[in-house]
Amino acid sequence: MSTSKTSSATHGFAYSQDQFRQLVEDALGEAKRLGASDAGAEVSEGCGLSVSVRKGDLENVERNRDKSLGISVYLGQRRGNASTSDFSAQAIKDTVRAAFDIARFTAEDPVAGLPDEQDLSLDVAARPELDLFHPWDITAEKAAGLALRCEAATFATDARITNSEGAAVSAQQSHFITGNSRGFRGGYASSRHSISVAPIAGRGAGMQRDAWYSSMRDALDLAKPEAVGRYAAERALSRLKARKVKTAEVPILFESTVAAGLLGALVQATSGGALYRKASFLLDSLGTLVLASHIDVDEDPHVLKGKGSSPFDDEGVVTRARSVVEAGVLQGYFLSTYSARKLGLRTTGHAGGSHNLVMKSRMTAPGDDLKTMLRRMGRGLFVTELMGQGVNYVTGDYSRGASGYWVENGEIAYPVHEVTIAGNLKDMFQRIVGIGTDQYTLGTKTIGSVLIERMKLAGS
């Protein structure tokens, strides 16, 4: 994988990747000198600018810069870890010695160790270029200007936008090099930039807040600040005069922005850590029906500019595109080397989490946009915000505070707040009757609005 974009400090970094490579070699060499049977090291640096405004005034300008070197040392099946932000030769020696000493006095773990060589991304030429690094050379003044334009657009949308929690612009970038004693070396630079705003509509007890943002690896792909501001204002305005509804059992339509949480629950329940700890409602679910039979979940770690893209995982294991769920049937877990060994399986390249996931329904037609999904629901609750942490991943029990809109005859009737929706994720997954084409990407997950046949709604 080419590293020409990050070969020097010209993009705002204090260290080049060549310097990072030498630091990794120094750390691994010291571990070997001390007598380690294996070792892995990673060195990284991040920097950025964050600017926030509120009600037309500049609030904060923050510049961040951090760096770290971490080392894992193995003495057989005993492991020790240590890290430092001091890159001097003596500090690195001291850090490696600290990890070595921790390993000496740590109990043996039969599954501890680096990935097997056959799983590592050792063929540098085979690593795809993923276009993840787009440094944004923006000054604090220009960032503030964008944030002010964004917030101004919210106030200009409607006189009922009476206040604001502020608008912000962030430009962040980082790079790293990692390596281990089994021959793996790799690293790259990446960036992520955003613009956001949180307007408040109405006055007194009837005030309603909402927010919107745009986040991309390339600042050129960000939505216009005015568009972000107007949409955030429209969302806040649409929540005015919200009311409660009576307790019932009704269909629930999750807006795409919150539906990503359902996909996240699937990932959590099928991740190695939860599985080997037996803290998942989907234990021993490989090859079984976990979602409605019309649903597929695909994963592609190699999407250009993807927020979950990477040629290898945090351990240097090769990443590959795959089908996670096919026709509702689970095809694979999310496993690191350690969790895979605990389960008697092979790593899937997920140390560090999932990559770019997309959940779709085989029944979705090209015209199944949000309006179509509302018509299909007919009568029920359209959920646009969830509150609280009421998800039990051991049992699958699900209970969340919610707000959104009551739907009658396939049309939004009025805004709703202060309600709770409840069910069990196992049942909810099976009761998904539709997924819209209104796809939204939240982090590493892409999904449209999700219609669940029936859930309990606790209201007044």
Side-chain angles (χ1 to χ4, degrees):
M1 183 176 182
S2 171
T3 57
S4 59
K5 290 184 179 180
T6 58
S7 59
S8 70
T10 56
H11 290 296
F13 295 129
Y15 295 85
S16 70
Q17 290 214 319
D18 286 341
Q19 288 173 304
F20 274 8
R21 287 191 190 90
Q22 188 58 55
L23 290 172
V24 168
E25 297 301 333
D26 292 345
L28 294 178
E30 180 65 14
K32 182 178 180 180
R33 188 187 70 79
L34 290 174
S37 56
D38 261 324
E42 179 177 319
V43 58
S44 63
E45 175 188 14
C47 58
L49 168 71
S50 298
V51 175
S52 64
V53 302
R54 183 173 180 270
K55 298 184 74 173
D57 293 325
L58 181 66
E59 272 212 324
N60 291 296
V61 176
E62 296 181 3
R63 292 191 180 275
N64 60 284
R65 182 178 296 276
D66 56 81
K67 58 190 176 77
S68 177
L69 183 146
I71 180 80
S72 294
V73 170
Y74 295 88
L75 297 176
Q77 292 177 312
R78 292 176 291 163
R79 175 177 55 189
N81 300 287
S83 63
T84 181
S85 59
D86 184 346
F87 288 176
S88 68
Q90 188 59 51
I92 291 174
K93 287 183 178 181
D94 292 344
T95 302
V96 176
R97 165 60 75 174
F100 183 84
D101 288 341
I102 292 170
R104 288 171 55 211
F105 297 102
T106 298
E108 288 193 358
D109 185 337
V111 299
L114 295 174
D116 296 332
E117 288 186 24
Q118 63 188 24
D119 294 321
L120 289 170
S121 175
L122 298 178
D123 186 353
V124 176
R127 297 176 191 166
E129 287 280 2
L130 301 177
D131 198 20
L132 304 181
F133 185 50
H134 295 269
W136 191 7
D137 185 18
I138 186 170
T139 64
E141 291 77 14
K142 288 183 178 179
L146 292 175
L148 289 167
R149 284 166 54 190
C150 183
E151 187 184 50
T154 68
F155 284 110
T157 301
D158 193 289
R160 292 173 294 170
I161 299 296
T162 57
N163 208 337
S164 166
E165 292 185 356
V169 169
S170 175
Q172 301 292 327
Q173 60 191 56
S174 62
H175 70 132
F176 73 97
I177 289 290
T178 183
N180 63 41
S181 54
R182 297 192 176 180
F184 172 78
R185 301 289 187 276
Y188 52 87
S190 63
S191 58
R192 186 169 296 188
H193 316 299
S194 66
I195 182 167
S196 60
V197 67
I200 297 171
R203 297 182 183 279
M207 288 192 302
Q208 293 289 343
R209 171 200 177 278
D210 213 310
W212 198 247
Y213 72 97
S214 177
S215 175
M216 295 291 173
R217 290 201 181 274
D218 188 344
L220 296 176
D221 296 331
L222 290 171
K224 297 295 183 184
E226 291 79 8
V228 174
R230 283 193 298 269
Y231 187 58
E234 290 165 0
R235 290 178 67 92
L237 291 164
S238 68
R239 298 174 63 158
L240 289 173
K241 297 182 180 179
R243 62 181 89 165
K244 297 180 182 180
V245 292
K246 292 183 178 180
T247 297
E249 195 166 327
V250 295
I252 300 291
L253 178 64
F254 288 87
E255 186 183 29
S256 56
T257 55
V258 294
L262 297 175
L263 185 49
L266 175 70
V267 174
Q268 169 67 23
T270 54
S271 292
L275 294 169
Y276 79 72
R277 293 186 182 95
K278 299 190 182 302
S280 169
F281 65 95
L282 291 178
L283 290 176
D284 302 318
S285 57
L286 200 62
T288 69
L289 194 72
V290 297
L291 294 171
S293 60
H294 58 92
I295 294 177
D296 298 322
V297 178
D298 295 314
E299 182 176 37
D300 186 357
H302 303 154
V303 176
L304 296 181
K305 296 184 180 181
K307 294 176 185 175
S309 294
S310 178
F312 46 80
D313 75 356
D314 288 358
E315 297 178 313
V317 172
V318 175
T319 56
R320 295 183 175 89
R322 63 171 185 159
S323 171
V324 178
V325 175
E326 187 174 349
V329 176
L330 185 66
Q331 305 296 311
Y333 294 137
F334 295 86
L335 306 175
S336 65
T337 297
Y338 186 86
S339 63
R341 288 172 180 163
K342 291 284 283 188
L343 294 166
L345 300 171
R346 186 176 179 182
T347 177
T348 57
H350 289 93
S354 64
H355 304 292
N356 304 301
L357 295 170
V358 181
M359 179 186 281
K360 292 182 178 180
S361 168
R362 298 183 177 193
M363 299 184 341
T364 300
D368 286 349
D369 57 10
L370 179 57
K371 288 185 177 180
T372 302
M373 297 297 289
L374 290 168
R375 287 196 298 268
R376 183 179 298 178
M377 179 169 66
R379 178 179 182 272
L381 183 66
F382 173 40
V383 175
T384 59
E385 184 178 12
L386 293 168
M387 288 81 76
Q389 304 295 325
V391 181
N392 186 326
Y393 289 105
V394 178
T395 64
D397 289 338
Y398 183 99
S399 179
R400 303 286 302 276
S403 61
Y405 305 89
W406 186 253
V407 177
E408 288 281 357
N409 299 316
E411 298 284 344
I412 290 177
Y414 51 82
V416 172
H417 67 169
E418 296 180 8
V419 297
T420 300
I421 56 173
N424 184 279
L425 283 167
K426 230 174 186 179
D427 297 331
M428 290 163 61
F429 286 167
Q430 299 288 347
R431 291 180 178 178
I432 295 175
V433 293
I435 298 179
T437 58
D438 53 329
Q439 286 190 337
Y440 180 82
T441 299
L442 181 66
T444 64
K445 301 168 184 67
T446 299
I447 191 171
S449 52
V450 171
L451 178 58
I452 295 182
E453 184 179 27
R454 193 164 295 273
M455 289 182 67
K456 293 177 182 178
L457 169 62
S460 58

